[in-house]
Amino acid sequence: MKKVFLLLISMMGAMTMFATNTVTVVYNGSEAAVTIDEDVAGYITVSSGTSSHVVLTSAAEDVEIIYALSGSSDDGEFCLNGNYKCEIDLNGLTLTNPAGPALNIQNGKRIDVSAKKNTVNTLTDGKNADYKGCIHCTGHLEFKGKGELNVVSNSRHAIFSDEYVEIKNLTLNITGAVKDGIHCKEYFLMESGTVTISNTGDDGIQCELAGETSTGELVDHEDEDSGNVYQLDGTLTIENYKGQPVKADGSIFYRGGTQNFDTSGVSAITTHQPQSDGAVYNIKGQRISEPTHGIYIQNGKKFVNK
């Protein structure tokens, strides 16, 4: 009886391990094969048939779907419409769209873009005035993974996010852009990894405010709209740019890592660690002398004052 019970546990573990909620897209020239796991088939609509210009729409609201992209096409794209956070895995993808973005993500939620370990992935776009990046995202982008991602834009920015951009572990090479290498709103955060940006027609990195008023830096950056740029670790190289290496509506914080560019041309550089001086701040980053009821921050930690 004990052996049967252990076998059942083992089988259940295996079933959990292989229940991946994955949509697989394999590019091959002018075609692409789209395979949808049956667990999420009811959430996904494919409107592009077998074309290499893949167009998917996700109706998922409570299921985080993984989109695994691989293969090669010199006339293709990945267009994703949706309303819930998801992950895009790059598994050895070479994708060029002569008429617009290589990755066109029409989803206002958190999008993880992961270059899988030991893979090299290359994305190239073509001119299209309706879009702002080779990777164009209406939500927020979190780049990660231990693989390599190469991006070049022949239209505007190499990477555009209508919200924040975060980078962790990734090797990211932006080898050309008509305008900025990375252009985002709210904030830019590099936690680790290696980022090289070169041959841009304007700035290496530019971060704007999304709204009219800055929140200042917030704990864990949750709901932050500061226009700030942060580097915590890793190596950031920016070269052969025509604007500024880093430009921000807010402040620029180098708290670690290596900056391989001329920082003298960057305004508002600081290594200040905010909210760590014993003072009390509200969730907008404003210093408070006498806290009343509500949520506050002291020494980088939230507390509730009753």
Side-chain angles (χ1 to χ4, degrees):
M1 186 69 178
K2 184 177 181 181
K3 289 183 178 180
V4 173
F5 180 69
L6 291 175
L7 178 61
L8 180 60
I9 291 176
S10 177
M11 291 175 63
M12 290 176 65
M15 290 172 64
T16 300
M17 180 175 64
F18 289 106
T20 57
N21 294 344
T22 299
V23 176
T24 302
V25 181
V26 180
Y27 291 87
N28 183 13
S30 61
E31 296 184 344
V34 180
T35 304
I36 305 173
D37 281 1
E38 63 179 20
D39 289 344
V40 294
Y43 297 110
I44 303 296
T45 301
V46 182
S47 56
S48 52
T50 61
S51 169
S52 57
H53 288 263
V54 176
V55 180
L56 304 180
T57 300
S58 170
E61 295 183 355
D62 56 358
V63 177
E64 187 165 348
I65 297 175
I66 298 172
Y67 301 88
L69 313 183
S70 63
S72 177
S73 174
D74 59 6
D75 187 4
E77 69 176 309
F78 178 73
C79 178
L80 176 63
N81 303 296
N83 54 12
Y84 195 74
K85 58 187 177 182
C86 66
E87 179 173 323
I88 298 174
D89 287 352
L90 306 180
N91 289 290
L93 175 69
T94 300
L95 188 61
T96 298
N97 183 4
L103 299 186
N104 181 10
I105 306 166
Q106 299 294 314
N107 185 327
K109 301 297 184 179
R110 187 213 74 211
I111 310 298
D112 288 341
V113 178
S114 177
K116 306 313 288 183
K117 187 176 181 180
N118 298 325
T119 67
V120 177
N121 307 274
T122 302
L123 304 175
T124 307
D125 72 356
K127 292 183 178 180
N128 190 320
D130 293 332
Y131 301 98
K132 297 181 180 180
C134 179
I135 300 177
H136 178 105
C137 181
T138 59
H140 34 276
L141 289 168
E142 297 187 8
F143 290 95
K144 61 182 183 179
K146 296 186 177 180
E148 180 179 332
L149 173 59
N150 304 305
V151 185
V152 59
S153 176
N154 297 297
S155 184
R156 298 187 70 181
H157 312 301
I159 295 172
F160 171 81
S161 173
D162 210 31
E163 298 177 5
Y164 68 76
V165 168
E166 294 186 358
I167 296 174
K168 184 176 181 180
N169 295 328
L170 187 75
T171 297
L172 172 63
N173 301 309
I174 295 174
T175 57
V178 173
K179 299 196 75 175
D180 302 331
I182 299 174
H183 190 110
C184 62
K185 299 179 183 179
E186 297 185 346
Y187 67 88
F188 171 87
L189 170 64
M190 180 175 173
E191 291 190 28
S192 58
T194 301
V195 175
T196 302
I197 302 173
S198 60
N199 304 314
T200 62
D202 201 349
D203 305 314
I205 298 171
Q206 182 176 359
C207 183
E208 301 180 37
L209 279 172
E212 296 181 359
T213 304
S214 173
T215 62
E217 181 178 2
L218 301 181
V219 173
D220 298 327
H221 306 287
E222 185 176 353
D223 296 324
E224 179 175 329
D225 181 13
S226 62
N228 289 350
V229 171
Y230 307 93
Q231 184 182 358
L232 307 184
D233 205 344
T235 300
L236 177 59
T237 301
I238 304 176
E239 55 192 9
N240 195 23
Y241 49 87
K242 291 187 178 179
Q244 297 184 33
V246 179
K247 183 178 180 180
D249 280 356
S251 298
I252 300 170
F253 300 91
Y254 298 131
R255 294 173 175 162
T258 302
Q259 298 82 43
N260 291 324
F261 52 89
D262 181 11
T263 59
S264 64
V266 181
S267 60
I269 299 176
T270 177
T271 56
H272 172 57
Q273 293 278 4
Q275 302 170 344
S276 60
D277 53 4
V280 177
Y281 298 82
N282 63 20
I283 60 174
K284 292 185 177 182
Q286 299 166 328
R287 186 165 178 161
I288 304 297
S289 57
E290 295 183 5
T292 56
H293 299 292
I295 300 173
Y296 295 92
I297 302 163
Q298 187 175 41
N299 295 328
K301 296 182 179 180
K302 290 181 181 178
F303 71 92
V304 178
N305 189 45
K306 298 181 179 181

